[in-house]
Every structure is written in C-alpha cells, then in structure tokens.
Amino acid sequence: MPVHLHVHSAFSFQDGTSYPEGLVEQAAAMGYQALALTDHNNLCGAVRFVQAAASAGIRPILGVELTLECGHVLLPHQGMNQHAGSLAHRAGGEHLTLLAADPTGYSNLCRLISLAHDLGGRRTPALPRERLEEYSEGLIALSGCRRGEVPQLLLGQRPDEARQAAAWYARVFPGRFFLEVQRLYVPREQWLLQCLSEMGKAMGIPLAASVNVHYLRPSDMPVHDILTCARELVQVDEAHPARPFNAEQSLLSPKAFARRFRDMPQAVANTRAIASLCQTPALELTRPDVPVPVGFTGDPLQALRAEAYKGAARRYGRVTPAIRSRLEHELGIIARVGCASYFLVVQGIVRQAKSMGIRTSGRGSVVDSAVGHCLGISDIDPIRHNLLFERFMSPERSQMPDIDIDFPRDKRDELVTWVQKHYGPQHVGAVCTFSTFRARSALREIGKAMGLPAEELGVLARRLRAASADQIEGAMESQPQAVHLQSSAKRYTHLFEMCARVAGLPRMISTHLGGIVITSQPIHRYTPTQPSARGIARLTHFDKDDIEAVGLKIDLLSLPILGAVDNAGEACRYEDIPEEDPETIRQIRAGESIGTFELQSPAQRALHIKVQTSSKKDIIDSIALIRPGPVQGGMAENYVRRKLGLEPVTYIHPSLEPSLKHTYGIALFQEQVIEIACAAANFTPGEADILRKAMTSARSKGNMEKLRESFTAKALENGLTSDQAERIFTCISGFAGYGFTEGHARAFAEIAYRSAYLLRHHPAHYMAGLLNNQPMGMYPVNTLIAQARNRGVAILPLDVNRSQWFSTSTDDTLRVGLHLLKGLSRKTGERIAELAPYTSALHFCQQVRPAIHELQNLITAGAFESLHPNRRGLLWQADSLLEMASQGAQERLLDCTLADPHLEDFGDVEKMSLEYDLLGLTANCHLASQLRPRFDAMGLLTTQDLAWIPGGQKVRVGGLTVCPHTPPTRSGHRVLFFCLEDEFGMVDVTAFEDVYRASGYVAFSEPVLVVEGVLQKRNLGRTILARRVSPMPRTLSCHRASTPKMELRRPHIGSSAAR
Amino acid sequence: MARRILRPVQVEPHPDGHPARFVWRGQTFTVQSILERWKEAGCWWEGEPARVVFRVLLCDNGGIWELHRFTRPALCLPGDGQPADAATESHWLLYGVED
C-alpha cells in the first residue's frame, strides 16, 4: 500500500481545494493507512488533520513544503511547461518537502517554518538552505517538486551541481533524504525522472514517489486553476508558470498510484517505508498546556482560594455564608477541571491593566463566576444577580472555560506587549484566523480571474451583503438592489458556479481580534509563528478552535467604547456615574440614543420606545432581545406585549416559573436554558450545559433528534406530559444557538447605560471620544456630528492652528481633530499640532514639511481657512508652497502669487462636499441645509416638522441616507430599515418587502433620498412607513454638477454580461 | 515548432494508445518513436476538452511532428461531476511539424 507523502490542503492558501478533513476522509475510504499533509510554509491545518485522522483511524504524517531561498534561476526555455521561465515565479524560491518523524522533528519543523517567515519576509517566506542543518533532527526530507533545488539544477543542465546539492541534503538528513519522483504528465518529465533515477542509483539515495496532491478529484482541477489565477493575479486566458498543466494532481487510489509508477515499484515501496518511520505522533492533542503564573510557586488552587477570599472581602465587605458557599462551590469545580492557574494568569493580566490605568471589562460567561468577580475580572456581581456558574464552567464539560476581557482599542497592544514580556516571547502567541471566500471576496477575486470587468464586479459585490459565496444566486433573488443588475448572462452564471466551488476555502491567514495563547512549554513545541501585521505578538498557525487543544487561550478584546468613555473622564469619572439617572433613562425611552453603546440601532431604539424603558433591567433584557434568534423567533414581540400587560404571562409547566418569571415567561438568556433543563428534566447544571452546547454546535437533524429523545425521556420521568416536554424542547432548541448569557448582557448593559449617561450629560466630551475611537458603532461620523450639534454642541472646524491630532472638546464645543483627515499620517498630524501656531501657509510648510497630498487635503478640507480663506487659490499654490518652503522663501512672495483676482474660490456647497469627502463630516452646518431651498421647492417636510404632524398622516421628507440595512425578520421577508437625516435631526424609515423591491433598494446607492409614506407615532418615537423611496431628482440637485465625488455611479452589468 | 498545421487527422493508434501512423494529404506517415508525451487540461472555461500531446519522430527521416489526442467530455465547468479522464470519444489533431 503506497502512501501520499506530498499533499496540499486548502491551507496552502489558494493552492489547494480541500480541507484536511476531506482529504483524510477520502484517503480512509480508499483504504490508505497513513496520509501526509504538506502545505506551503505552514501548519495551519495540522490540528484538524490530526483530529480527522484520529476519527478515521489512519496515521497522520505532519509535514510542510518549505520554500528555500532561491539559488538557481532557470532560463526561460528550461521551465516546467510551455509557459515556463517567468523569473518572478522562479524568484519565489525552491521547494523542499519535509516530514516530521517524531515530536522533535515536529518542533524543528515549527522552528524552520518560523525562521522562513522571519528571514524571507512576512508575505514571502523563504529559508536560507544552510539553516536546515540546525534543525534537521527528527525530519525526513524529500527533494521536492520540480521547484526543488535538485530538479531545478537538473532541468538547468547542471548535473554536477545537482549531485552536489543532493549530497548536501543526504549529509544534513542522514538516511532520511529521498529523491522525490513525481509523475504528473508534464513536458520533460520522463527525462527528469530518468535523471533522478540514475542519480539515486549512483549516489545511493532512495527514491520516493509522489503525485503532489492539490485536490481530491480530477474534476476539482478548474477550481485549483482559478484559485491559482486569482492568487497570481492573471486571467484564465493568460499563461502563468504556476498554473496547473492538467488534472493529474488528484488524490489517487492506492491502485492508481501504483499503476502510475508501475515502472518504479521501489519508489512506491519507499513511501511505505517513510510512513513507517513516522510512527510516533508528532503532535499530541491530549490536554491543553496551562501555564503557571510567573513567579508563582506552590499549589495554584490554594493561591486562588486565598485571592478569591481576599477579593470577596474587598467586594462585599463581609463574607456571608451564602457568599462562602458560592465561592466554595465554584472553587470545587475549578479544582476538578484543573484550571486554577488559568484564573491566576487572567487575574495577573487584569491587575496589570489596572496598574497601567487601562480600563477593563469582563464579558461573556466569565461574568457568571463569583470567583472571577472577586478576582476583579468582572465587575458584575453574579451572587446578587443569581447568575448560574455552570454556564461558565462545569465538571461535565471537557473543554477549558473561555475568559474574554475587553480593553480600549488603543491600550490593548500595550497589554499584549506586557504579557509577552512577562511570560517570555517563546511562550506567547497571537491566535490566527482564516479569511475565507465569501460572496464579496469570491466575486471580486474569482470574477477578475475569469476576466469580468472589475467595476461591474465591485458594484455587484458591494450589493451582496454578508452572503456566503455559495448563496450568491439566492442572494441575488432576495436582494432587489442586486437583482436590479441584470446579471444572469452566461459569464455570470459560470462565475456564480465557480464562486460556490470556492465558498468557505481559506484565502489568507490573519490575526484573530483578541485571542492570545500562553503556553508553559515553548510555543514551537506546538506551532510555528510568524510576524503579525501589527508587529505585536507573533502569529501562531492555529485558530481559536485549534489553539484550545494545545494551550491557554485568553481573549483580550478591543472594545472602542471603553476608549470613548475614558475621553469623557475629565468631565465625569466613569465610576461616579449614578446608578439609575432618570434623565438618562428618559432619553433611552425616547429613542434618543444614537451614539450610545448597544442601544443605538433602529431596532433597539424602537424597542425602548415600545416598552417604555424605565430601569436598567429593561436595558439588560433589550440587549438579549435584539439579536437575530430572538427577533426571528418572535420573542421581541411577545416580550413587549407581556411587559405591557397586553397578553398574560404563562409557563409551559409551573416548574419553569422561577427561572422565567423575571423575563415575563420568555427565555432570553442561555442560563435560563440550563435552568429549564434542570427544572423540567432533572438534568444536572453541567449536563444541561452540555445539552445547550450540543444544540448550539451540532444541529444536524440526527443529532437534534437524539437530544430530543434524551430530553423527553428525562422530562417524562420528572412528571411532565409528552406535550409539555415537546414544547419545552422546541422552545429551548430554537433559542439555544442565539441567546446571550445573562452575565454578558448585564456587563454590556452597564456600559450601555453609562455611555447613555455621558451622552446625555456630557455630549461634547463623549462625542469627541466617539470620533477619536473610530471606526466603531453603526453610524457615520457625520451623523454623530449632527447629533452633537442638535444637543447644543458647537462643532469647530479643522484648523491647522487649533486642531490637535485627536478631536478635542470643552463642555460645549467639539474641535474636529486632524486624525479624521484622509491621507494625513499620524506623524505629520502630531507635528502640525506640536509646531502650531502658524502665521501663513508658507510658514506652515516651512515648519511641518508635509507631503504634497497631505497639504492638498488640508487645504481642501478647510484647515487653512483662518489664514487663507481662498481654498482654490491656495490649492493652486500647493506645489509652489512646498518648493518655496524648501528654498527658505519669505512670506511676501506667497502673498504676491495668491493675489490673483481671476482665481475664484469654491462655492459654499462645493466646499462642504469636498470637506465631507475628506473628513466624513461637515463642521459648519449640515449638508441638507444646503439642499433646503430645493427640498422646499419640492414641498418636502423637515424631520422637525414631523413633531407636530399627527401620526397616520401621509408625509414626504428629504434627507441624507444613513445606515440602510435589511436585518433578518420573523417572517423571513426582507424589510429595509434606514434613517433619513437632515439639519434638524433624524427619522427612522421602514420599507416592507414590496416597497423595498419596487424602489427602496436605491437606499443602498443614493446619498440623498425623498421618502413618501405614512408617519407612525408611538410614545416619543417617530417612524415613516415608506410607500415610495426615490433619489433626489438630478435636475433639482443644485450642486450635483459641481460635486462629482458625491455622485454614486451605477455601472450597468447587463451590458457587459451580454457581450 | 516551425510550422503549425492545426488540422484534424486520421491516426491509427497502437493498442497502448500511442500513435502508430497517420494519414496526411493522402500520404501515410509511420511513427518511429515517441519522443515525449504530456497531458494538457485545455481551456476548460470554454468547454475545451483535455488532450494528450505526442512529439513523435517519423520513420525515414520524416522529421519531428506533434499530434494531439482529444478526449471527451471536456474537464468542463464545475458541477458537471465528470472525471477528467472519463474519455468516451477521441479525435486527433495534427498540431504541427518541427524543422
């Protein structure tokens, strides 16, 4: 039985079409007893490969196709195929196949890969050949594909050097070096095989057969080809040496493998021999490696107990029997799971953050832990709020618990740097994530490779929001803004089919938002690492699921709102915000919460208006309610009706009342699912959590049926009827996958309330904080500015003499900061602020020496308005200014040149439009105020007028389009929501599916809209139920002609598709 | 390749599939040896079938010629589920001749 020793999975990033699991499954089905995985320069698929192999019962051999620094560039006619010889391709380096025979070999493999990433560059890993000598132990080397050093030298007619190279490898890998013979039916192959054969015989180096697998079946070859085209940025009808020549690199069956190499039986037999050298598992996935906190000796559990009680005394003042009982209960489970060190490590990080003045906030299920609360990880008291610890951790769960902590975005890196320093760089890495092909990326990249115009693809991609790449056709049907482009022509049909084939395949590795891993063994025992784009912690090759199998994963997440609330800290300390401020609650109840954390979406605002929010508890519930699951399940509507007393609060069984009473009989939180399972079916909390988790992650029909049976059986034993058991199961299974934990909702609700308080009482400082932490939230900067203006804050424009890098504020003013200006580097921006004031533009240029585009953007955005009011005149002089500044010219020279009377300045509307384009906002007034004469001519109302118009009246309103979106709805219909904003405020617009399809879709492309519909008023809220949505007529749009950048062009895909 | 011919041609193959002789402009040419052969996927995106290319040396100093054998169905667009080498039909093309 041969063994495939050279196999690429999709983790070769656009050079493989199958996930490791698929390869293993197929290999096992074909009867193979072992299989190797050798992706390009990474071990990203290693964990899932090992796990899949264990399930399939075959031996995994971990390896890599490593790129070595190029030593031998071929001449064009010597390449691998008719298109060969591209120097760029050759410059990619030489390949070597390496296989780990044992854990030492695996560790060396990790080190070599890491070195290749360090020495070759972040995107072009390549290892100097001589570095192999340091880490060759435990590794088996195959000479590689045609891009291997030995084949390259042979193809280059340099046989002596080829022999020398082979001898070198044989010396570095004594008894473990093989000449790799590949039969792929490409030109000059037979000759090369003959050379390798003869060389092997002459030098005593054994051969090893391979087919360099890149896909499962021959019919997958077009996918491999198109991915290669996308990777190499060529079109399908263009030649490129990296493109596959034919469809001969599939996973051959043992019989086909042997038949292909029937003239080289020993090379086939050697694959078996090599596999037998790899008997010891290279990577063992038994138990995560939990580090002990630095400087710590003794029993971690005792230390944790001491810390928990110390914290309890601080938090509660007196440790009551109830508190003691809860702590002991948790400590008992922590001891059984064996993760006391985990808590101590996290406590150390939080403590360090606090000592560095960094705000932290625990999120997720850790909020359910009293020990976590006492250690300072979370500020929510789980004992007071009766939060269930078993949602966070239980002895029945095999996995380590997950602790997530939020930090302000700009401080997170400081903390990660500290962790790295504290535990040592050899023990800390960043968790990676894999960017996969989704509708947008597939359309853009695959479409370009298939030769479709980039502009058309861009339009199409922009309009297909959040769709999967294998659902493009479905998305086209359900989204009118996409259907409107008549893209059903054959080329697009082919494109959509191809997109479906690449759906979900990984495109590249990138850094996970917050995950870091800490290991007690050096991290190279488990994974290679590579420099990350941000340059902080080194990036591991394992994603969040993989990493849990090897080490301690902690999510140190960025939460920009924490930075924003800090900004208001001088005016009002976050900790001093009163518990329940009536004015803040009233503001939330009125739906005036744009800019707050979590409460600003139209759905949230509408909910608070409906339920007449009167306390923090309503905020907590709302955070759990406005989620796709509860909304689609109709829970939000039921909740509102029950809260308002419009329908009775009922329970399927009386035993559910204690857990559901505080949410009006509706399950809102994950903890309630656990409590229901315990009450109704006598599960232990740990078992119930396993049930909840199974409902979340293993939702196949078969699995759900099994869970239903086991739940029903236990519920019947507990005295419920089968109807009650069935209804309860349906209720919790429908909800389990989507709900929040109550602890998490409480943690977020606390931040939400406090952000609303700051917005209500300190709008200038808080809004400046929001601007300084962009991008964040759902509204654009201009909307935040409009909100601040409507709250009485004077917005001060960008000014080189007054603006700082970040936006600044006083109690009633907000000065736009330089950070908002497109194209301005932070270095220049900070220099501008540091060297101000300036007496003239020339003085500015002499002092700051900006780049030309920076100067132009500053002028265009009005930053020199106080020095030189004529922006167009100054823009005209930008080049000369910089030239004069470099020559040390005097200011009067500039005054002469600027005095040109023929250079008329931009008009007011044009200035605003340009400013909007560069800053994302208009400081002096709202754009809609410039359109007001036109709106008036059309008889349109303002958002202010809607205050006095009674509900039920027909209205026509004009304004800017803000945040169009079509969230999932209970009915499954697409409903469009957006806001219409003018100089007086904002009104929410709802367009049901018929209106959305007929005219509403323009909201995704038109910046200014006219909405006709019926005004709906409920309590303090206003919504227009749209009947027609139309773009601002071009003939009436006075400034269109002069503001081309405000135009959104709409290329017509149909015309190209028909060609 | 000095001269491209690109014409369909009648080929009498060996049992192993290699060309034995072919008829071109009424004249029969006998293959002395196969110098090289390889497989090409063809322009799958246009529905073009895969092909096997033979560089052959003809008897009697007849020169080096290139013959392509096409197999159908083509590799084709995704979703067809056809394996690449599920040939149901072959035809030959006389691609060209080397000087």
Short mmCIF file of all heavy atoms in Angstrom, two decimals, chain A residues 82 185-188 218-219 221-222 225 236-237 243 245-248 494 497-498 501, chain B residues 36-42 44-46 75-85:
data_model
loop_
_atom_site.label_atom_id
_atom_site.label_comp_id
_atom_site.label_asym_id
_atom_site.label_seq_id
_atom_site.Cartn_x
_atom_site.Cartn_y
_atom_site.Cartn_z
N GLN A 82 5.14 24.89 -21.00
CA GLN A 82 5.29 25.76 -22.16
C GLN A 82 5.31 27.24 -21.77
O GLN A 82 5.79 28.06 -22.53
CB GLN A 82 4.13 25.52 -23.13
CG GLN A 82 2.79 25.96 -22.56
CD GLN A 82 1.62 25.39 -23.31
OE1 GLN A 82 1.68 24.25 -23.76
NE2 GLN A 82 0.58 26.15 -23.48
N TYR A 185 2.67 13.94 -15.80
CA TYR A 185 2.46 14.03 -17.27
C TYR A 185 2.61 15.46 -17.77
O TYR A 185 1.70 16.04 -18.36
CB TYR A 185 1.10 13.45 -17.65
CG TYR A 185 0.94 12.01 -17.21
CD1 TYR A 185 0.05 11.65 -16.22
CD2 TYR A 185 1.74 11.01 -17.78
CE1 TYR A 185 -0.07 10.35 -15.80
CE2 TYR A 185 1.62 9.69 -17.36
CZ TYR A 185 0.73 9.36 -16.37
OH TYR A 185 0.63 8.07 -15.96
N VAL A 186 3.76 16.06 -17.45
CA VAL A 186 4.07 17.39 -17.97
C VAL A 186 5.32 17.29 -18.83
O VAL A 186 6.06 16.29 -18.74
CB VAL A 186 4.27 18.41 -16.82
CG1 VAL A 186 2.99 18.60 -16.04
CG2 VAL A 186 5.39 17.98 -15.89
N PRO A 187 5.60 18.26 -19.68
CA PRO A 187 6.74 18.17 -20.58
C PRO A 187 8.08 17.97 -19.84
O PRO A 187 8.27 18.51 -18.75
CB PRO A 187 6.73 19.51 -21.32
CG PRO A 187 5.32 19.96 -21.24
CD PRO A 187 4.80 19.46 -19.92
N ARG A 188 8.94 17.25 -20.43
CA ARG A 188 10.31 16.95 -19.97
C ARG A 188 10.32 16.13 -18.68
O ARG A 188 11.36 16.01 -18.02
CB ARG A 188 11.11 18.25 -19.75
CG ARG A 188 11.26 19.04 -21.05
CD ARG A 188 12.26 20.16 -20.89
NE ARG A 188 13.62 19.67 -20.76
CZ ARG A 188 14.61 20.37 -20.22
NH1 ARG A 188 14.37 21.57 -19.74
NH2 ARG A 188 15.82 19.87 -20.15
N PRO A 218 -10.13 14.72 -10.12
CA PRO A 218 -9.71 15.47 -11.30
C PRO A 218 -10.67 16.60 -11.66
O PRO A 218 -10.25 17.65 -12.13
CB PRO A 218 -9.69 14.41 -12.41
CG PRO A 218 -9.47 13.13 -11.70
CD PRO A 218 -10.17 13.27 -10.38
N SER A 219 -11.95 16.41 -11.36
CA SER A 219 -12.91 17.47 -11.71
C SER A 219 -12.74 18.71 -10.84
O SER A 219 -13.38 19.73 -11.09
CB SER A 219 -14.34 16.94 -11.59
OG SER A 219 -14.57 16.46 -10.28
N MET A 221 -9.93 20.21 -10.68
CA MET A 221 -8.81 20.95 -11.26
C MET A 221 -9.17 22.39 -11.67
O MET A 221 -8.39 23.32 -11.43
CB MET A 221 -8.23 20.18 -12.45
CG MET A 221 -7.10 20.86 -13.14
SD MET A 221 -7.76 21.85 -14.50
CE MET A 221 -6.27 22.61 -15.07
N PRO A 222 -10.35 22.63 -12.28
CA PRO A 222 -10.67 24.03 -12.62
C PRO A 222 -10.68 24.94 -11.39
O PRO A 222 -10.29 26.10 -11.48
CB PRO A 222 -12.07 23.92 -13.24
CG PRO A 222 -12.15 22.55 -13.79
CD PRO A 222 -11.37 21.71 -12.82
N ASP A 225 -7.18 25.69 -10.63
CA ASP A 225 -6.64 26.61 -11.64
C ASP A 225 -7.12 28.04 -11.39
O ASP A 225 -6.33 28.98 -11.41
CB ASP A 225 -7.09 26.13 -13.03
CG ASP A 225 -6.32 26.83 -14.14
OD1 ASP A 225 -5.26 27.43 -13.85
OD2 ASP A 225 -6.76 26.79 -15.30
N VAL A 236 -7.88 33.76 -16.71
CA VAL A 236 -7.83 32.37 -17.16
C VAL A 236 -7.24 32.20 -18.56
O VAL A 236 -6.65 31.16 -18.85
CB VAL A 236 -9.22 31.68 -17.17
CG1 VAL A 236 -9.57 31.12 -15.83
CG2 VAL A 236 -10.28 32.57 -17.72
N ASP A 237 -7.41 33.21 -19.40
CA ASP A 237 -6.84 33.04 -20.74
C ASP A 237 -5.41 33.55 -20.84
O ASP A 237 -4.87 33.68 -21.93
CB ASP A 237 -7.75 33.70 -21.79
CG ASP A 237 -8.10 35.12 -21.41
OD1 ASP A 237 -7.53 35.60 -20.41
OD2 ASP A 237 -8.93 35.73 -22.10
N ARG A 243 0.36 27.99 -13.00
CA ARG A 243 -0.95 27.36 -13.25
C ARG A 243 -0.79 25.86 -13.50
O ARG A 243 0.19 25.41 -14.10
CB ARG A 243 -1.62 28.02 -14.45
CG ARG A 243 -2.06 29.43 -14.16
CD ARG A 243 -2.79 30.03 -15.31
NE ARG A 243 -4.03 29.31 -15.61
CZ ARG A 243 -4.82 29.60 -16.64
NH1 ARG A 243 -4.48 30.60 -17.46
NH2 ARG A 243 -5.91 28.93 -16.86
N PHE A 245 -0.99 22.31 -15.15
CA PHE A 245 -0.90 21.95 -16.56
C PHE A 245 -2.05 21.05 -16.99
O PHE A 245 -2.53 21.11 -18.10
CB PHE A 245 0.43 21.22 -16.76
CG PHE A 245 1.00 21.41 -18.12
CD1 PHE A 245 1.71 22.57 -18.42
CD2 PHE A 245 0.84 20.46 -19.10
CE1 PHE A 245 2.24 22.76 -19.67
CE2 PHE A 245 1.36 20.65 -20.35
CZ PHE A 245 2.07 21.80 -20.65
N ASN A 246 -2.46 20.20 -16.06
CA ASN A 246 -3.52 19.25 -16.37
C ASN A 246 -4.20 18.83 -15.05
O ASN A 246 -3.96 19.47 -14.02
CB ASN A 246 -2.94 18.03 -17.10
CG ASN A 246 -1.78 17.42 -16.32
OD1 ASN A 246 -1.82 17.36 -15.10
ND2 ASN A 246 -0.74 16.99 -17.02
N ALA A 247 -5.00 17.80 -15.12
CA ALA A 247 -5.77 17.41 -13.94
C ALA A 247 -5.21 16.14 -13.30
O ALA A 247 -5.95 15.25 -12.90
CB ALA A 247 -7.23 17.21 -14.33
N GLU A 248 -3.90 16.07 -13.19
CA GLU A 248 -3.26 14.83 -12.72
C GLU A 248 -2.76 14.91 -11.28
O GLU A 248 -1.91 14.14 -10.88
CB GLU A 248 -2.09 14.48 -13.64
CG GLU A 248 -2.49 14.26 -15.09
CD GLU A 248 -3.41 13.05 -15.28
OE1 GLU A 248 -3.30 12.10 -14.49
OE2 GLU A 248 -4.24 13.08 -16.19
N HIS A 494 -21.56 31.19 -14.89
CA HIS A 494 -20.32 30.43 -14.66
C HIS A 494 -19.59 30.96 -13.44
O HIS A 494 -19.06 30.20 -12.64
CB HIS A 494 -19.42 30.52 -15.88
CG HIS A 494 -19.94 29.76 -17.05
ND1 HIS A 494 -19.46 29.93 -18.32
CD2 HIS A 494 -20.90 28.82 -17.13
CE1 HIS A 494 -20.12 29.12 -19.14
NE2 HIS A 494 -20.99 28.44 -18.44
N GLU A 497 -21.22 29.79 -10.27
CA GLU A 497 -20.93 28.38 -10.03
C GLU A 497 -19.53 28.21 -9.45
O GLU A 497 -19.30 27.44 -8.51
CB GLU A 497 -21.05 27.58 -11.32
CG GLU A 497 -22.48 27.37 -11.75
CD GLU A 497 -22.58 26.69 -13.12
OE1 GLU A 497 -21.52 26.32 -13.68
OE2 GLU A 497 -23.68 26.58 -13.62
N MET A 498 -18.60 28.95 -10.01
CA MET A 498 -17.22 28.83 -9.54
C MET A 498 -17.10 29.41 -8.13
O MET A 498 -16.37 28.86 -7.29
CB MET A 498 -16.31 29.58 -10.52
CG MET A 498 -14.89 29.14 -10.48
SD MET A 498 -14.66 27.37 -10.55
CE MET A 498 -14.15 27.16 -12.22
N ARG A 501 -18.00 26.92 -5.71
CA ARG A 501 -16.97 25.88 -5.51
C ARG A 501 -15.87 26.33 -4.55
O ARG A 501 -15.22 25.50 -3.92
CB ARG A 501 -16.33 25.49 -6.86
CG ARG A 501 -17.26 24.81 -7.84
CD ARG A 501 -17.50 23.35 -7.52
NE ARG A 501 -16.35 22.49 -7.61
CZ ARG A 501 -15.95 21.82 -8.68
NH1 ARG A 501 -16.63 21.95 -9.81
NH2 ARG A 501 -14.91 21.03 -8.64
N GLU B 36 8.31 12.37 -26.71
CA GLU B 36 7.78 12.87 -25.43
C GLU B 36 6.26 12.92 -25.52
O GLU B 36 5.69 13.06 -26.60
CB GLU B 36 8.30 14.29 -25.16
CG GLU B 36 8.12 14.72 -23.74
CD GLU B 36 8.89 15.99 -23.39
OE1 GLU B 36 9.44 16.64 -24.31
OE2 GLU B 36 8.94 16.31 -22.21
N ARG B 37 5.64 12.82 -24.35
CA ARG B 37 4.19 13.00 -24.32
C ARG B 37 3.80 13.64 -23.00
O ARG B 37 4.49 13.48 -21.99
CB ARG B 37 3.45 11.68 -24.50
CG ARG B 37 3.72 10.67 -23.42
CD ARG B 37 2.67 9.62 -23.34
NE ARG B 37 2.70 9.09 -21.99
CZ ARG B 37 1.76 8.33 -21.47
NH1 ARG B 37 0.71 8.00 -22.17
NH2 ARG B 37 1.85 7.90 -20.23
N TRP B 38 2.75 14.42 -23.03
CA TRP B 38 2.25 15.03 -21.81
C TRP B 38 0.75 15.27 -21.95
O TRP B 38 0.19 15.09 -23.03
CB TRP B 38 3.01 16.32 -21.49
CG TRP B 38 2.84 17.45 -22.47
CD1 TRP B 38 1.85 18.36 -22.50
CD2 TRP B 38 3.72 17.78 -23.57
NE1 TRP B 38 2.05 19.25 -23.52
CE2 TRP B 38 3.19 18.91 -24.19
CE3 TRP B 38 4.92 17.22 -24.06
CZ2 TRP B 38 3.80 19.50 -25.30
CZ3 TRP B 38 5.52 17.81 -25.16
CH2 TRP B 38 4.97 18.94 -25.77
N LYS B 39 0.16 15.68 -20.84
CA LYS B 39 -1.29 15.94 -20.85
C LYS B 39 -1.54 17.43 -20.59
O LYS B 39 -0.84 18.04 -19.78
CB LYS B 39 -2.00 15.12 -19.76
CG LYS B 39 -1.98 13.64 -20.00
CD LYS B 39 -2.83 12.94 -18.95
CE LYS B 39 -2.75 11.43 -19.11
NZ LYS B 39 -3.56 10.72 -18.11
N GLU B 40 -2.54 17.95 -21.28
CA GLU B 40 -2.91 19.36 -21.05
C GLU B 40 -4.41 19.42 -20.76
O GLU B 40 -5.20 18.68 -21.35
CB GLU B 40 -2.64 20.20 -22.29
CG GLU B 40 -1.18 20.53 -22.49
CD GLU B 40 -0.96 21.44 -23.70
OE1 GLU B 40 -1.85 22.26 -24.00
OE2 GLU B 40 0.08 21.28 -24.34
N ALA B 41 -4.76 20.35 -19.85
CA ALA B 41 -6.17 20.44 -19.46
C ALA B 41 -7.01 21.11 -20.54
O ALA B 41 -8.21 20.91 -20.61
CB ALA B 41 -6.30 21.22 -18.15
N GLY B 42 -6.40 21.93 -21.38
CA GLY B 42 -7.19 22.69 -22.35
C GLY B 42 -7.89 23.85 -21.67
O GLY B 42 -7.78 24.05 -20.46
N TRP B 44 -10.57 24.80 -20.13
CA TRP B 44 -11.76 24.23 -19.51
C TRP B 44 -12.89 25.24 -19.40
O TRP B 44 -14.06 24.90 -19.44
CB TRP B 44 -11.43 23.64 -18.13
CG TRP B 44 -10.73 24.60 -17.21
CD1 TRP B 44 -9.40 24.73 -17.01
CD2 TRP B 44 -11.33 25.62 -16.40
NE1 TRP B 44 -9.12 25.73 -16.13
CE2 TRP B 44 -10.30 26.29 -15.74
CE3 TRP B 44 -12.64 26.01 -16.16
CZ2 TRP B 44 -10.53 27.35 -14.87
CZ3 TRP B 44 -12.87 27.07 -15.30
CH2 TRP B 44 -11.82 27.72 -14.66
N TRP B 45 -12.53 26.54 -19.25
CA TRP B 45 -13.54 27.57 -19.08
C TRP B 45 -14.32 27.83 -20.38
O TRP B 45 -15.35 28.46 -20.36
CB TRP B 45 -12.91 28.87 -18.58
CG TRP B 45 -11.79 29.38 -19.46
CD1 TRP B 45 -11.90 30.33 -20.43
CD2 TRP B 45 -10.43 28.98 -19.44
NE1 TRP B 45 -10.68 30.54 -21.02
CE2 TRP B 45 -9.76 29.72 -20.42
CE3 TRP B 45 -9.71 28.05 -18.68
CZ2 TRP B 45 -8.40 29.57 -20.67
CZ3 TRP B 45 -8.35 27.91 -18.94
CH2 TRP B 45 -7.71 28.65 -19.92
N GLU B 46 -13.79 27.32 -21.47
CA GLU B 46 -14.52 27.44 -22.74
C GLU B 46 -15.09 26.09 -23.16
O GLU B 46 -15.53 25.92 -24.30
CB GLU B 46 -13.58 27.97 -23.83
CG GLU B 46 -13.25 29.44 -23.63
CD GLU B 46 -12.21 29.95 -24.61
OE1 GLU B 46 -11.70 29.13 -25.41
OE2 GLU B 46 -11.90 31.14 -24.56
N LEU B 75 -12.97 18.68 -19.45
CA LEU B 75 -12.93 18.88 -17.99
C LEU B 75 -14.12 19.71 -17.54
O LEU B 75 -14.68 19.51 -16.50
CB LEU B 75 -11.64 19.60 -17.62
CG LEU B 75 -10.66 18.76 -16.88
CD1 LEU B 75 -9.40 19.51 -16.64
CD2 LEU B 75 -11.23 18.23 -15.58
N CYS B 76 -14.47 20.63 -18.41
CA CYS B 76 -15.73 21.33 -18.24
C CYS B 76 -15.81 22.22 -17.01
O CYS B 76 -14.93 22.26 -16.19
CB CYS B 76 -16.86 20.33 -18.15
SG CYS B 76 -17.76 20.24 -19.64
N LEU B 77 -16.92 22.86 -16.93
CA LEU B 77 -17.15 23.78 -15.83
C LEU B 77 -17.54 23.02 -14.58
O LEU B 77 -17.92 21.86 -14.65
CB LEU B 77 -18.26 24.75 -16.23
CG LEU B 77 -17.74 25.77 -17.23
CD1 LEU B 77 -18.88 26.50 -17.87
CD2 LEU B 77 -16.81 26.73 -16.54
N PRO B 78 -17.43 23.66 -13.47
CA PRO B 78 -17.74 22.98 -12.22
C PRO B 78 -19.17 22.45 -12.21
O PRO B 78 -20.05 22.97 -12.87
CB PRO B 78 -17.58 24.08 -11.18
CG PRO B 78 -17.49 25.34 -11.91
CD PRO B 78 -17.04 25.04 -13.28
N GLY B 79 -19.34 21.42 -11.43
CA GLY B 79 -20.68 20.90 -11.26
C GLY B 79 -21.01 19.77 -12.21
O GLY B 79 -22.03 19.11 -12.07
N ASP B 80 -20.16 19.55 -13.21
CA ASP B 80 -20.51 18.52 -14.17
C ASP B 80 -20.25 17.12 -13.61
O ASP B 80 -20.81 16.14 -14.07
CB ASP B 80 -19.74 18.71 -15.48
CG ASP B 80 -18.25 18.68 -15.29
OD1 ASP B 80 -17.78 18.36 -14.18
OD2 ASP B 80 -17.53 18.97 -16.23
N GLY B 81 -19.38 17.07 -12.60
CA GLY B 81 -19.15 15.80 -11.92
C GLY B 81 -18.39 14.78 -12.74
O GLY B 81 -18.26 13.63 -12.34
N GLN B 82 -17.91 15.18 -13.90
CA GLN B 82 -17.21 14.23 -14.75
C GLN B 82 -15.73 14.19 -14.39
O GLN B 82 -15.10 15.23 -14.29
CB GLN B 82 -17.31 14.66 -16.22
CG GLN B 82 -18.71 14.57 -16.78
CD GLN B 82 -19.14 13.14 -17.03
OE1 GLN B 82 -18.32 12.26 -17.16
NE2 GLN B 82 -20.45 12.91 -17.04
N PRO B 83 -15.17 13.02 -14.24
CA PRO B 83 -13.72 12.96 -14.04
C PRO B 83 -12.99 13.33 -15.33
O PRO B 83 -13.55 13.18 -16.41
CB PRO B 83 -13.47 11.50 -13.66
CG PRO B 83 -14.63 10.75 -14.16
CD PRO B 83 -15.79 11.70 -14.22
N ALA B 84 -11.77 13.82 -15.18
CA ALA B 84 -11.06 14.35 -16.33
C ALA B 84 -10.78 13.29 -17.38
O ALA B 84 -10.78 13.57 -18.58
CB ALA B 84 -9.75 14.97 -15.88
N ASP B 85 -10.51 12.09 -16.92
CA ASP B 85 -10.08 11.11 -17.91
C ASP B 85 -11.19 10.10 -18.24
O ASP B 85 -10.93 8.97 -18.56
CB ASP B 85 -8.79 10.43 -17.45
CG ASP B 85 -8.88 10.01 -16.00
OD1 ASP B 85 -9.96 10.17 -15.42
OD2 ASP B 85 -7.88 9.55 -15.47
#
